[in-house]
Amino acid sequence: VPELNDKYMGLEGYDAELYGADELALYQEMQERSAKLLEAMPEAKEVEKLLTKYMHLALNSVDDVNKKQKTVKAGGVSQKCTELEVTFDGKCLADMAEAVLKEMLKDKDLKKLIVSTMDDMAVLDDDLVGYSVSGEEAYEEFTEALEEMLDNVDELKSLDGELIMKVYVDSKGRIVGRTLEMEEEDGTYTGIYYLMPENGKNVGCEISVTADDGSRAALTGSGKKSGEKLTGSYELEYAGVSLLEMNVSGLDLEQLKQGYLNGTFTLMPSKMLGTLLTGAVSGYGSLYATMLADMELKLDLQMAKNSGKITLGLMYDEEKIVSLTAAVDAGKGPGTDIPDAANLIVIEEDEDLAAWMEGLSWDKFLKGLEDAGVPEDLREELLESIELFTDGNYGFEGLYGMGDVPANPYDPDGYDEPYG
């Protein structure tokens, strides 16, 4: 602990069970196996290429597409778009499945991907992948499963209900929104809605889910774009009740497409929820509820391919009362330095611990607290405790008979004049 002592504290007679060496070894083994498994996985671009191919093949099997002009509205922002509506019933799903399965059976690129991946996995331990087979054997099992699915594809035609998908495309070919609605025979339906219309720099937002019982959860709001950065205000509601408000600042939309979240998010209870909180309790509870209603949670996120940083702050009355930052960098770690004997105190007896504590630099520690902004009155109280703790007669050293007074003044063998 360099902030307290330049000397290292060492332990001999290392007890593996006591200090968790078995758990550490297991963790290291899991990390190594995970790394091997990742190496065996196919390249992302190869998988993406195949997924895109089969997505297009499935959609090309749909021949009933309704097309019309539609104005998309969300968060007070409107945009004229082309609406493409497709209805997926049992017959449509059967046609899609048949087209995809037939192509997969003769796809040489897919075969190459499966064979090479399974050959790489075959060299790993059996208990990592569950079984070990060659790539050719794995591909043969795969094709047998495809043929069985193809034989039963007609069963999809008897499915009840319909899935209606609507895609909204602007004049530049950008997808503005998408909705999915599942209609049941009894007239009920569930729906998923994602709408992001744009009008100049203004961007609206609605991300919502409607259950078959009519209840609805939604994130709605609007913001403004500056280049590829978005700033706006949004609200989370459930069953018509506003729960949370969220302010977004500097959200990097280009990085978001790559899966990296960069920006600042401030979350706070909605005014309606704050009123409910303060009105539901009385006495001291009302005070705490009022404080809770006025608090804000601020998240600052910075993400990249090999690094990430998140700062979490709890705000009250525009003042930050708690701040926590966590950061990670992925890469080759530094080596481990083993301290030399001159800088190491091995703890075998109580006196060794006392000897290590003689080197404690409390001044350096207190200066660090001062630099960190710890209030002076708290530091003074801590200093009094430290002085008592390090007192040569009655503190830690005296406890082990290292001071002027024996550890137990009533011990006949250690009787001292001051206690006569």
Side-chain angles (χ1 to χ4, degrees):
V1 187
E3 292 81 8
L4 282 176
N5 197 334
D6 293 332
K7 295 285 187 180
Y8 285 84
M9 180 191 294
L11 299 172
E12 287 214 4
Y14 184 79
D15 189 329
E17 183 176 351
L18 178 62
Y19 295 106
D22 293 340
E23 288 79 1
L24 178 60
L26 178 60
Y27 173 75
Q28 291 174 330
E29 183 180 357
M30 291 174 61
Q31 291 288 89
E32 292 171 358
R33 291 188 172 196
S34 296
K36 291 179 181 178
L37 189 59
L38 285 174
E39 290 177 3
M41 290 291 100
E43 293 290 332
K45 59 183 180 181
E46 298 178 22
V47 178
E48 184 178 1
K49 178 182 176 181
L50 286 170
L51 288 175
T52 301
K53 171 184 176 179
Y54 285 105
M55 178 65 73
H56 288 166
L57 180 61
L59 293 178
N60 288 337
S61 302
V62 180
D63 53 11
D64 186 15
V65 180
N66 295 321
K67 179 179 178 181
K68 62 182 177 181
Q69 297 302 307
K70 187 81 172 182
T71 299
V72 177
K73 298 179 181 180
V77 179
S78 302
Q79 183 178 9
K80 292 183 179 180
C81 297
T82 299
E83 179 189 85
L84 305 174
E85 180 181 326
V86 179
T87 300
F88 297 98
D89 54 14
K91 181 181 181 305
C92 180
L93 293 175
D95 292 341
M96 293 171 63
E98 184 176 7
V100 169
L101 292 170
K102 286 182 177 179
E103 178 62 26
M104 291 176 75
L105 283 169
K106 61 181 182 181
D107 192 330
K108 294 182 179 180
D109 290 334
L110 180 60
K111 178 181 179 180
K112 180 180 177 182
L113 184 71
I114 293 173
V115 171
S116 62
T117 299
M118 295 308 298
D119 278 340
D120 289 339
M121 284 190 173
V123 301
L124 301 177
D125 295 340
D126 289 350
D127 57 347
L128 177 63
V129 296
Y131 66 99
S132 181
V133 296
S134 68
E136 288 291 344
E137 291 173 327
Y139 182 72
E140 184 178 347
E141 293 179 8
F142 176 72
T143 54
E144 289 175 357
L146 292 182
E147 289 171 351
E148 183 177 352
M149 294 169 64
L150 191 58
D151 290 339
N152 299 313
V153 74
D154 286 341
E155 295 179 4
L156 292 173
K157 296 179 181 179
S158 61
L159 291 177
D160 297 328
E162 294 179 339
L163 175 64
I164 301 173
M165 180 176 72
K166 297 178 182 178
V167 179
Y168 299 96
V169 184
D170 65 11
S171 58
K172 297 179 181 180
R174 185 182 72 91
I175 295 179
V176 171
R178 189 188 305 271
T179 69
L180 292 170
E181 294 181 342
M182 175 69 79
E183 293 188 356
E184 305 293 346
E185 287 187 332
D186 59 2
T188 61
Y189 75 94
T190 56
I192 301 174
Y193 307 87
Y194 173 82
L195 304 172
M196 296 284 285
E198 294 187 18
N199 189 345
K201 294 183 178 181
N202 298 316
V203 182
C205 172
E206 179 189 333
I207 303 173
S208 62
V209 177
T210 301
D212 54 8
D213 60 0
S215 60
R216 176 175 178 267
L219 178 68
T220 58
S222 63
K224 289 183 179 293
K225 285 177 65 175
S226 177
E228 289 298 324
K229 301 291 181 66
L230 176 67
T231 298
S233 298
Y234 305 88
E235 183 179 54
L236 178 66
E237 64 176 74
Y238 175 73
V241 177
S242 176
L243 300 177
L244 289 175
E245 295 177 5
M246 179 175 67
N247 293 330
V248 178
S249 177
L251 177 61
D252 193 320
L253 300 176
E254 190 64 29
Q255 288 291 312
L256 188 61
K257 295 176 184 177
Q258 307 300 320
Y260 304 125
L261 199 56
N262 290 274
T264 302
F265 303 81
T266 303
L267 305 173
M268 67 210 81
S270 68
K271 293 180 177 61
M272 180 182 293
L273 183 60
T275 302
L276 292 174
L277 281 172
T278 54
V281 293
S282 59
Y284 290 113
S286 177
L287 174 62
Y288 297 134
T290 301
M291 291 178 62
L292 181 61
D294 292 336
M295 284 186 175
E296 297 179 355
L297 183 65
K298 191 172 184 179
L299 293 151
D300 184 70
L301 300 168
Q302 300 174 33
M303 295 183 182
K305 182 178 180 180
N306 294 316
S307 64
K309 181 179 179 181
I310 176 172
T311 301
L312 185 150
L314 189 61
M315 315 285 292
Y316 176 71
D317 197 20
E318 299 183 356
E319 294 288 337
K320 184 178 288 186
I321 58 176
V322 175
S323 182
L324 177 66
T325 299
V328 61
D329 286 305
K332 187 176 181 180
T336 302
D337 294 326
I338 305 299
D340 56 42
N343 203 31
L344 174 66
I345 296 178
V346 178
I347 309 299
E348 295 179 328
E349 305 292 341
D350 294 335
E351 288 79 1
D352 298 325
L353 181 59
W356 179 82
M357 295 193 71
E358 283 182 340
L360 294 178
S361 177
W362 294 110
D363 291 339
K364 183 179 179 181
F365 175 67
L366 290 169
K367 181 62 170 61
L369 294 182
E370 181 181 358
D371 294 341
V374 175
E376 182 179 0
D377 55 347
L378 184 57
R379 285 186 280 116
E380 289 178 353
E381 291 182 14
L382 183 58
L383 179 58
E384 292 178 5
S385 300
I386 290 172
E387 290 174 343
L388 179 63
F389 181 70
T390 55
D391 184 277
N393 294 326
Y394 304 103
F396 186 86
E397 294 177 355
L399 187 62
Y400 292 106
M402 298 180 66
D404 298 331
V405 179
N408 184 356
Y410 298 103
D411 184 345
D413 296 329
Y415 189 86
D416 201 312
E417 184 63 28
Y419 295 92

